[in-house]
Amino acid sequence: MSALTEPVALSAALASFTERWSPRIVTAVNDYDVRVAKVEGEHLWHVHDHTDEFFLVLDGELHIALRETAGERTVVLPRGSVFTVPRGTEHKPYAPVPTEILLLEPTGTSTVGDRHDEVPAHVDETTGHALN
C-alpha cells in the first residue's frame, strides 16, 4: 500500500469493521504501515525480533505486560497514551474494555511477531488487512 492521496477519518476506518485483534492498514509512511485495530481481552505473548512496536490508544485502555531483563511488569495506557515496545521484548497486550488503537510497524510485520505462544482463535495472525 502506498500513501493515500485523500484524508482518512480514523473513526470511519474503525467503523468499517468489527473484528477484534485484526488490524486494518489505513496508510503507509515510508516502509511502515499505520494500522488501526479494535481490541478486547487478551492477545498472546510474542516477540518482534527486528522491530519496535508503537501503540497509540485512541479510545479505551490498553495494558501491555512486558518480560524484561529486570523482570515482568505491566504498563497501562489510558486513552491518548503512547508506548513503544522495544524490539526483542516479549510482550502481551490486554484490553480490559473495548479499546481502539493505532499501531505503527514496518510493512509486513506479523501481529504475532517472530516468536509466540499458540495463537488463540480470537487473534488474527496477519500482516494487516486493507480497509474496505
Side-chain angles (χ1 to χ4, degrees), residues 1-3 23-36 51-55 102-111 126-130:
M1 171 179 224
S2 60
R24 300 307 193 265
I25 302 168
V26 293
T27 191
V29 179
N30 297 316
D31 297 328
Y32 283 76
D33 288 342
V34 178
R35 305 174 184 177
V36 292
T51 184
D52 301 335
E53 187 171 19
F54 172 87
F55 293 86
L102 182 141
L103 303 151
L104 183 63
E105 299 177 295
T107 300
T109 299
S110 170
T111 56
T126 180
T127 56
H129 299 284

Side-chain angles (χ1 to χ4, degrees), residues 22-77:
S22 185
R24 300 307 193 265
I25 302 168
V26 293
T27 191
V29 179
N30 297 316
D31 297 328
Y32 283 76
D33 288 342
V34 178
R35 305 174 184 177
V36 292
K38 295 179 177 184
V39 299
E40 185 176 12
E42 294 190 356
H43 195 262
L44 63 128
W45 284 105
H46 66 286
V47 177
H48 299 279
D49 290 326
H50 307 289
T51 184
D52 301 335
E53 187 171 19
F54 172 87
F55 293 86
L56 163 62
V57 177
L58 301 169
D59 194 32
E61 181 177 281
L62 186 68
H63 299 201
I64 304 174
L66 303 161
R67 290 181 177 154
E68 300 170 311
T69 338
E72 200 169 297
R73 70 180 175 119
T74 299
V75 294
V76 177
L77 287 71

